[in-house]
Amino acid sequence: MDNNHKSTMKSISKLISQSSQSFFSAFLDDSKDKQSKNKEREEILKKLQVASAQKSLVVLQLKEVPTSQKFETVSGWIVSKSIGDSIMLRLQADSQQIRMITVEHIKKVSTLSKNDKRLIK
């Protein structure tokens, strides 16, 4: 019975060791995810700031929309000069309507400046 007890202790210590390793690995992966999300957010903020300064038409692909679609596309011009956690967008479809969009919901940014040769309606 002494060997059985040692075997049980070894299996328990092995289980604890593996659990600790997997927990630590998950912790490191989370910090990598946070770094990549922060990098993506910074890139989006830079694009929005440039678009605001150039008064460019902005097309935003928004994520996590509660409708049946996977994403929503919104186009317009950025109203505010400084970009923070959210932006104010004057919609292209209805220039009288302004929509507030949080930066964390933006998946992709495309811009079209006034100097571009393509037609902006």
Side-chain angles (χ1 to χ4, degrees):
M1 190 141 96
D2 192 32
N3 286 339
N4 191 17
H5 179 56
K6 287 181 181 179
S7 173
T8 304
M9 290 302 287
K10 283 184 181 180
S11 64
I12 289 173
S13 64
K14 186 177 178 181
L15 178 67
I16 291 172
S17 174
Q18 288 176 344
S19 300
S20 299
Q21 289 173 355
S22 65
F23 176 74
F24 185 67
S25 175
F27 174 74
L28 291 178
D29 288 342
D30 282 348
S31 55
K32 286 180 185 176
D33 288 342
K34 286 181 183 178
Q35 287 176 352
S36 68
K37 285 182 182 179
N38 284 340
K39 186 177 178 181
E40 286 177 16
R41 185 176 188 277
E42 290 300 320
E43 289 175 11
I44 288 173
L45 286 173
K46 285 179 186 177
K47 286 182 181 180
L48 292 173
Q49 192 69 43
V50 169
S52 176
Q54 294 178 348
K55 298 182 181 177
S56 301
L57 174 69
V58 179
V59 179
L60 304 175
Q61 187 178 36
L62 306 178
K63 55 187 170 185
E64 299 176 10
V65 178
T67 62
S68 62
Q69 299 175 344
K70 300 277 184 193
F71 60 88
E72 178 185 6
T73 305
V74 179
S75 62
W77 292 268
I78 299 173
V79 176
S80 58
K81 295 194 191 251
S82 63
I83 307 296
D85 291 337
S86 61
I87 62 168
M88 302 294 280
L89 192 73
R90 185 171 27 106
L91 300 180
Q92 183 182 19
D94 182 7
S95 61
Q96 297 299 317
Q97 187 176 8
I98 295 178
R99 182 166 174 187
M100 185 173 184
I101 300 170
T102 58
V103 174
E104 66 185 33
H105 285 104
I106 298 173
K107 183 176 182 179
K108 185 177 177 183
V109 177
S110 300
T111 61
L112 183 62
S113 70
K114 287 185 176 184
N115 299 334
D116 201 322
K117 302 293 183 212
R118 293 175 276 179
L119 182 64
I120 302 174
K121 292 184 180 180

